[in-house]
Each structure stands twice: as C-alpha cells, then as structure tokens.
C-alpha cells in the first residue's frame, strides 16, 4: 500500500507541476488524435449523409460493411498500414512508417466507420422528416446532403466526440505503426504501457489520470449534447 500511495502522490505532483514529459506526450496525443478526427469527419459525415439520401443497388451492403468495420480490431489496422508503409510496401518510398503521420492514417481508418455509422443512424431519421419537403422544393442531391449536415449538426458532433473517444484510447495500431519512439511518436496509451512495464508507476498513473480526464470530458460533452437536444435548446 505504501508503494501505491507513493506512486499516487508522485503522479499528482507531476500533474501539478506540469512535468515536461507528461505535457509533451499529452500534446502529441491531442495533436495526432484531433488531426485524425478532422480528416475522419471530413470523410465520414458526407458519406453518412449520402447514404441517408441516396438510393442505389449496393447501399444496404455498404451500410452493413460500415457497421461491421466498427468492430475491426485496431491491431489488424495497424498491421495493414504497416505493410503499406514499410519499405517493401507500395508507399514505403515516402518514409512515413514510425511517424505521427502513420499514426494519423491508422486512426483515420479506425474512426471513419464509427463516425459514419453513428452519424448515419441520426441522419436517416432526419431524412425521413425532411424527405417530402426537400423533394417538393426540387433540391439537388448536394443541397439535400448540405441540409441534413447542417440541421443534424448536433447529432454529428456527438458522433465526432464518440470518434475522439475511440481514437484517444487506441494503443494497438498506434504501437505497430508508431513504434512508441521517445520525443517522436510516444502518446498517452503507448507511454502508459511502457512506463508500467518499466515499473515507473508515477508517470504511468499521471498519464492515466490525463487519459481518464479526457475520456470523462468527452462523455460529459456527449451527455450535455443529449440534454440540450432533449430540452430543445440547440
């Protein structure tokens, strides 16, 4: 118990004094995750709106694939990205392996199906309410998508927050393609795994507290958006 309390007190001290390594790792995690989230949302949200308004032969199959990819093992994503970015791979010439860019690519692949699936569920319900109105106005396909994205922005933000929560806690794919290199690709989750293995519980706990705080902040954001929606204040 003494070791536990000593580790907790040291972790708290690291947080209070804003330890340089802790801050660096946290900022790198946020930079990688937020960049991946922006790219993923730019892909997933228009795709979700398109699937809501457009009817085509493979639409149901596409939706089913997106839903299935939500459970895609992250370590498999990391392996695929590793193969493509390795020197023997088709994109090895760019030298992206073991860089933050490789980590962003892996997170985008992981987050896109989640954001697209969650957003599609909300936009499909919204489209059922807007269908007759937009058809009677002779709105083009692009205008319909734009209307859904704007009026469904609350639900889309919730989907984006869910994607952020998935990405910030990712470790498998990040470890494979990033390599957990100090001052280069080390992020919260990989640093926690490393420090725990080294027996440096103070730093591991400090990083863990930051990760928990981010997860709580995301969940509070989703809860607040849900209350805002139910009370009709958006």
């Amino acid at each position: 118990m003494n070791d536990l309390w000593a580790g907790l007190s040291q972790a708290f001290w690291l947080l209070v004094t804003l330890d340089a390594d802790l801050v660096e790792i946290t900022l790198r995690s946020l930079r990688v995750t937020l960049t991946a989230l922006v790219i993923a949302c730019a892909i997933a949200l228009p795709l979700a709106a398109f699937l809501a308004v457009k009817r085509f032969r493979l639409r149901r199959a596409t939706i089913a694939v997106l839903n299935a990819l939500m459970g895609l093992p992250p370590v498999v994503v990391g392996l695929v990205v590793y193969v493509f970015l390795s020197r023997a791979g088709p994109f090895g010439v760019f030298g992206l392996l073991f860089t933050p860019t490789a980590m962003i690519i892996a997170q985008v692949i992981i987050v896109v199906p989640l954001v697209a699936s969650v957003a599609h569920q909300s936009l499909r319900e919204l489209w059922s309410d807007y269908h007759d109105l937009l058809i009677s106005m002779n709105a083009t396909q692009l205008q319909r998508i734009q209307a859904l994205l704007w009026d469904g922005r609350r639900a889309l933000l919730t989907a984006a927050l869910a994607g952020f929560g998935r990405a910030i806690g990712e470790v498998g794919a990040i470890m494979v393609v990033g390599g957990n290199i100090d001052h280069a690709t080390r992020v919260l989750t990989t640093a926690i795994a490393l420090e725990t293995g080294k027996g440096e519980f103070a730093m591991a706990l400090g990083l863990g507290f930051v990760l928990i705080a981010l997860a709580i902040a995301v969940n509070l954001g989703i809860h607040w958006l849900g209350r805002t929606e139910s009370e009709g204040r958006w």
Side-chain angles (χ1 to χ4, degrees):
M1 288 297 293
N2 291 332
D3 291 339
L4 175 61
W5 286 115
L8 288 173
S9 62
Q10 293 176 25
F12 180 75
W13 180 251
L14 291 174
L15 291 172
V16 170
T17 59
L18 296 178
D19 180 77
D21 290 336
L22 189 147
V23 172
E24 177 191 356
I25 292 171
T26 301
L27 292 178
R28 184 180 301 113
S29 296
L30 290 174
R31 183 171 66 251
V32 169
T33 299
L34 291 175
T35 302
L37 182 64
V38 170
I39 298 173
C41 288
I43 298 171
L45 299 183
L47 175 60
F50 176 79
L51 291 174
V53 305
K54 181 67 175 178
R55 297 295 184 268
F56 55 95
R57 180 174 299 178
L58 297 178
R59 175 177 173 271
R60 292 183 179 274
T62 303
I63 295 172
V65 169
L66 278 177
N67 292 333
L69 290 178
M70 290 176 61
L72 186 66
V75 70
V76 175
V77 174
L79 176 61
V80 172
V81 174
Y82 181 96
V83 170
F84 275 86
L85 298 183
S86 65
R87 290 187 177 182
F91 303 107
V93 67
F94 297 108
L96 298 177
L97 195 61
F98 302 134
T99 66
T101 302
M103 300 160 64
I104 291 171
I105 293 172
Q107 285 195 349
V108 168
I109 296 174
I110 293 170
V111 171
V112 163
L114 174 63
V115 175
S117 296
V118 174
H120 174 258
Q121 295 296 326
S122 301
L123 293 179
R124 184 175 60 182
E125 297 177 3
L126 189 62
W127 173 243
S128 64
D129 297 332
Y130 281 37
H131 177 272
D132 294 340
L133 174 62
L134 292 176
I135 293 297
S136 65
M137 295 174 61
N138 291 323
T140 65
Q141 203 78 51
L142 180 60
Q143 290 172 332
R144 298 173 190 176
I145 291 175
Q146 290 175 338
L148 285 185
L149 291 177
W150 174 250
D151 287 348
R153 60 192 181 278
R154 178 173 49 245
L156 300 184
L157 184 55
T158 302
L161 288 174
F164 176 83
R166 172 73 183 274
I168 195 68
E170 171 50 36
V171 59
I174 297 303
M175 186 77 78
V176 172
V177 302
N180 198 21
I181 303 171
D182 194 17
H183 302 299
T185 60
R186 186 163 298 167
V187 293
L188 285 170
T189 50
T190 58
I192 291 172
L194 176 67
E195 297 298 334
T196 302
K198 291 164 53 180
E200 298 289 342
F201 297 111
M203 177 61 76
L205 287 170
L207 294 168
F209 290 152
V210 173
L211 190 59
I212 291 172
L214 291 173
I216 292 175
V218 169
N219 281 277
L220 287 176
I222 294 175
H223 178 69
W224 179 80
L225 288 174
R227 289 187 59 188
T228 301
E229 181 176 5
S230 63
E231 297 173 8
R233 294 202 309 263
W234 191 279

